[in-house]
Amino acid sequence: MTSGMVERNRMHGALAAASRLRLLDALRASDRALDARELAAICGLHLNTVRFHLQILSEAGLVRSEPDSSGSRGRPRLRYTATSAGSSAPGSGEPAGYQLLAAVLAAHWADTPGERARRAESAGRATAKQQGFAARSSTDVTTEDAVTQVGALFAELGFEPEIAREGDALQLRLHACPFRAVALEHPEVVCSMHQGLLRGALDELGASATTSSLTPFVQPHLCVARITPSGGPSPTTRPEPVGVRS
C-alpha cells in the first residue's frame, strides 16, 4: 500500500465515527482553540473519550494542538483547533463536497449579482414547470389550495413550511432552509431561485395569486413569502436584500 493510500485510509477512518465528527464540528464552530474538557462539555462526551478521539483526529491531520500559554502551573493543557474551516455549516449534515460545489456554482454562475439573480429566478420558474402541477390541479384553484400545494413542494425540499394568514394575504413561512450555508454567501442565487420556484408554481397552478415578496432570513432560520390575491399590492421583482436578523 502506498503512503498516499495509507493517509487517505487514516483520514477516512478518522471521519467514520459520529463522535469524532461532533468534535470536529465543535472546533470548526468555535472562534478560539478549545481544550479537551471544554469539548467534552460541548459534545456531551466523557473526557477520556474526547482525548482518544482527538488523538485520532490529530494523527489524521484534521486537528492540531498547542500548549495553553495562560501561565498556569503544572503541565500545560493542550488546546485544539481544526485544520480546516470545512465547507458545511456545523451540524448541517450536508457533505462538505456538496456545499463547496454549490458555493462555487453560485459564485460563478454569472458576472454580476443582478445577472445571477435573474438567471436563478428563471431557473426556479423552469423547475416549477417540471413538477406537473397543472396535471394535478382543478380548473378552479383557490389561493389557499395553491399555497397548500406549493407548501407541499417546499416540504419535500426540506424547508419545514408553515402557512399563516395575514389579512387578505397568506404567508408561507419557510423554516430550516436546507441551502442556508450557500444562501448566506450568495442570496442573489439561492433566494432568487426559490422566488422563481414559488412564482412559477403559482403560475402553473393557475391560481389568481401574486407573490408580493420573499424576505429571506427575517430570523436566522426563517424566510417568509407573502402571497396576495389578484388586486393586492403590486409584486416586487426580486427578494429583498438578505441580512441575518435576530
Side-chain angles (χ1 to χ4, degrees):
M1 184 178 292
T2 66
S3 60
M5 292 177 65
V6 170
E7 291 301 319
R8 288 197 297 272
N9 287 340
R10 180 179 296 161
M11 183 171 291
H12 292 165
L15 295 173
S19 295
R20 288 196 283 274
L21 289 174
R22 285 161 59 190
L23 290 169
L24 194 56
D25 277 347
L27 289 171
R28 286 173 171 169
S30 178
D31 58 1
R32 62 181 179 83
L34 300 173
D35 64 27
R37 292 184 182 277
E38 291 171 311
L39 286 165
I42 292 170
C43 297
L45 298 171
H46 191 278
L47 180 58
N48 289 338
T49 301
V50 170
R51 286 171 173 160
F52 169 75
H53 288 318
L54 287 172
Q55 181 64 32
I56 293 175
L57 290 169
S58 296
E59 291 174 354
L62 294 168
V63 304
R64 60 176 173 267
S65 62
E66 59 184 19
D68 185 355
S69 58
S70 60
S72 58
R73 292 184 178 182
R75 183 178 180 181
R77 290 178 298 174
L78 294 177
R79 292 191 176 274
Y80 296 85
T81 55
T83 57
S84 169
S87 301
S88 60
S92 70
E94 294 176 344
Y98 161 80
Q99 287 283 6
L100 178 60
L101 175 62
V104 169
L105 291 176
H108 298 281
W109 202 4
D111 291 337
T112 66
E115 180 60 24
R116 288 197 290 270
R118 286 187 290 273
R119 294 179 65 177
E121 182 165 345
S122 177
R125 287 181 177 273
T127 300
K129 289 182 178 293
Q130 301 170 4
Q131 302 307 307
F133 283 115
R136 296 198 300 267
S137 66
S138 68
T139 57
D140 187 20
V141 177
T142 66
T143 300
E144 290 81 1
D145 290 340
V147 173
T148 298
Q149 291 192 50
V150 174
L153 171 62
F154 277 88
E156 292 177 8
L157 294 174
F159 280 88
E160 299 180 14
E162 170 193 3
I163 298 173
R165 181 166 288 281
E166 182 190 38
D168 293 334
L170 289 172
Q171 284 187 357
L172 185 61
R173 301 170 66 83
L174 303 173
H175 302 269
C177 175
F179 313 101
R180 183 175 184 273
V182 181
L184 290 172
E185 293 294 325
H186 300 286
E188 75 283 1
V189 173
V190 178
C191 302
S192 294
M193 181 183 67
H194 295 150
Q195 173 81 79
L197 181 62
L198 182 62
R199 289 180 171 174
L202 291 170
D203 289 347
E204 290 296 305
L205 285 163
S208 56
T210 298
T211 303
S212 61
S213 67
L214 172 61
T215 307
F217 302 123
V218 297
Q219 295 177 12
H221 293 277
L222 175 66
C223 304
V224 176
R226 186 170 180 270
I227 300 149
T228 59
S230 292
S234 299
T236 57
T237 57
R238 292 186 192 88
E240 295 177 8
V242 171
V244 177
R245 298 186 287 272
S246 57

